[in-house]
Amino acid sequence: MERFLQTKHLIQIDDLSRNDIEEIFALAEYYLQKNKNKVEQKHHLQSFTQINVFFENSTRTLASFELAGKKLGGIVQDIRIATSSIQKGETLIDTALTLNAMRPNLLVVRHSSSGAVNLLSEKVNCSVLNAGDGSHEHPTQALLDFLTIKYRKKKKEGLIIAICGDISHSRVARSNIALLCKFNNQVRLIGPSNLLPNSFKDMGLEIYNRMEDGVRNADVIMMLRFIPSRREYFNRFGLDNQKLLLAKTDAIVMHPGPMNRGVEIDGIIADDLNRSVIQEQVEIGVALRMAVLHLLVDRKN
Ligand code: CP
């Protein structure tokens, strides 16, 4: 059966239907097994060109997209912003038009401003993938998180998932909330009131200001970054063993990275392979991004 996505761009989770997400997951699981078995990929995709344009720092997302594109047989080019003409004052739109003229199949873009990736997608002919824009969305992070949950919990509906940290500034939280709610999970948000936007209360999500209440009986605890000046929150909102004991005995612990040990999460929990799936998230991320790139390249524009 031919697989395809309805959407040309992936800017936010709501660009994807449930069916699209099922297609992405089926293909990602296929690539995950191939990657685990170190099977050489046979490239059936027509030669494609992918340009990664990261206006903001990244380790995981950039390396993961670069590896995913290369494993699929693509020509992958990274634009290094520090040495690009952005530094000479070139605008985002002029940069977009310049890259578009090189006729890539895909642009993978990270930007510090919410909405910048969407704006760029309106100026180019190729598909655009959002690799994180400001505090708006980071859709492939949420997809890889959700696939990790499915992989570990053997289901993707009816789970209690506690997301803890600076929800206000987190694009990871926004994408995860949109995705997890699409599949009828019980999403709990945990954090200090000033870092929990009212819009989420209005959506009917469960809000907790005490971590001990929010993690109780949870299947999944997803920790987010705190900005470093908020070290004082570790006692209240950092994940330590005492708080983890309140969750289900088989609860998994997630973090999108980069993590601050001793700020959001105790280092012993982060390294406990029985509970922490942080490295698994990274591994699954490559396969997930291979699937998304594949389906966008295969799409008949
Ligand atoms: N999770 C994530 O987006 O990490 P990077 O900032 O390293 O890409």
Side-chain angles (χ1 to χ4, degrees):
M1 194 175 71
E2 196 182 354
R3 294 165 160 162
F4 61 91
L5 295 183
Q6 297 290 344
T7 185
K8 177 175 179 179
H9 307 298
L10 178 52
I11 308 296
Q12 55 203 10
I13 288 297
D14 276 348
D15 293 333
L16 300 170
S17 65
R18 273 182 67 127
N19 195 47
D20 288 332
I21 294 161
E22 303 285 5
E23 296 292 359
I24 291 169
F25 280 8
L27 192 55
E29 286 180 90
Y30 164 79
Y31 281 130
L32 185 63
Q33 285 316 313
K34 282 200 144 191
N35 292 347
K36 275 188 192 296
N37 298 333
K38 299 198 169 105
V39 174
E40 281 298 314
Q41 313 290 341
K42 284 205 176 65
H43 309 125
H44 83 276
L45 294 181
Q46 282 191 334
S47 163
F48 70 96
T49 307
Q50 169 187 333
I51 306 182
N52 300 327
V53 201
F54 279 54
F55 295 87
E56 198 189 77
N57 292 344
S58 169
T59 299
R60 278 146 288 270
T61 314
L62 178 58
S64 186
F65 267 117
E66 184 169 355
L67 210 51
K70 286 179 175 168
K71 277 175 174 279
L72 291 170
I75 299 163
V76 182
Q77 179 71 49
D78 290 339
I79 303 291
R80 304 206 180 275
I81 294 303
T83 53
S84 76
S85 289
I86 299 275
Q87 303 303 334
K88 300 179 192 166
E90 189 165 62
T91 66
L92 174 67
I93 301 302
D94 283 332
T95 304
L97 295 175
T98 301
L99 296 175
N100 190 52
M102 297 176 191
R103 298 193 174 279
N105 300 82
L106 290 151
L107 290 178
V108 180
V109 185
R110 170 170 285 191
H111 201 284
S112 57
S113 298
S114 303
V117 182
N118 189 44
L119 180 69
L120 190 145
S121 74
E122 290 168 358
K123 308 292 174 192
V124 298
N125 305 115
C126 65
S127 289
V128 174
L129 256 153
N130 182 4
D133 65 323
S135 56
H136 175 227
E137 285 228 22
H138 191 352
T140 57
Q141 178 69 48
L143 287 164
L144 76 87
D145 290 343
F146 195 32
L147 184 57
T148 307
I149 292 171
K150 177 177 177 269
Y151 205 65
R152 275 297 184 110
K153 292 284 153 195
K154 311 287 179 224
K155 61 178 189 171
K156 55 186 186 314
E157 307 213 24
L159 294 162
I160 300 174
I161 299 168
I163 306 179
C164 179
D166 180 357
I167 311 281
S168 273
H169 299 98
S170 176
R171 55 196 177 206
V172 175
R174 275 186 185 72
S175 288
N176 264 299
I177 291 164
L179 183 53
L180 296 167
C181 290
K182 246 185 214 294
F183 286 83
N184 306 319
N185 291 291
Q186 189 180 333
V187 178
R188 298 176 180 172
L189 304 182
I190 309 168
S193 302
N194 59 330
L195 298 177
L196 281 167
N198 284 330
S199 54
F200 290 125
K201 293 178 194 156
D202 301 340
M203 280 171 66
L205 297 175
E206 292 179 38
I207 307 288
Y208 294 88
N209 298 127
R210 278 191 81 240
M211 193 171 178
E212 289 80 357
D213 297 333
V215 299
R216 198 172 296 278
N217 219 24
D219 295 287
V220 178
I221 303 173
M222 194 180 283
M223 300 304 297
L224 302 173
R225 278 171 68 74
F226 279 127
I227 46 180
S229 64
R230 299 191 182 272
R231 275 180 190 275
E232 70 270 23
Y233 284 121
F234 183 72
N235 285 342
R236 284 181 65 198
F237 298 106
L239 185 62
D240 57 19
N241 206 39
Q242 259 186 321
K243 296 188 192 101
L244 182 56
L245 281 171
L246 298 169
K248 287 191 180 146
T249 51
D250 62 350
I252 56 170
V253 175
M254 308 181 76
H255 196 304
M259 66 180 156
N260 295 301
R261 289 167 185 263
V263 178
E264 301 110 30
I265 188 164
D266 187 319
I268 293 172
I269 296 175
D271 295 334
D272 177 357
L273 296 181
N274 293 317
R275 308 304 289 269
S276 164
V277 295
I278 294 170
Q279 299 309 323
E280 216 167 311
Q281 287 171 264
V282 177
E283 182 182 6
I284 288 175
V286 176
L288 184 283
R289 289 181 173 117
M290 288 173 78
V292 173
L293 292 170
H294 179 149
L295 291 168
L296 285 176
V297 169
D298 254 6
R299 192 178 173 278
K300 311 283 176 276
N301 285 307

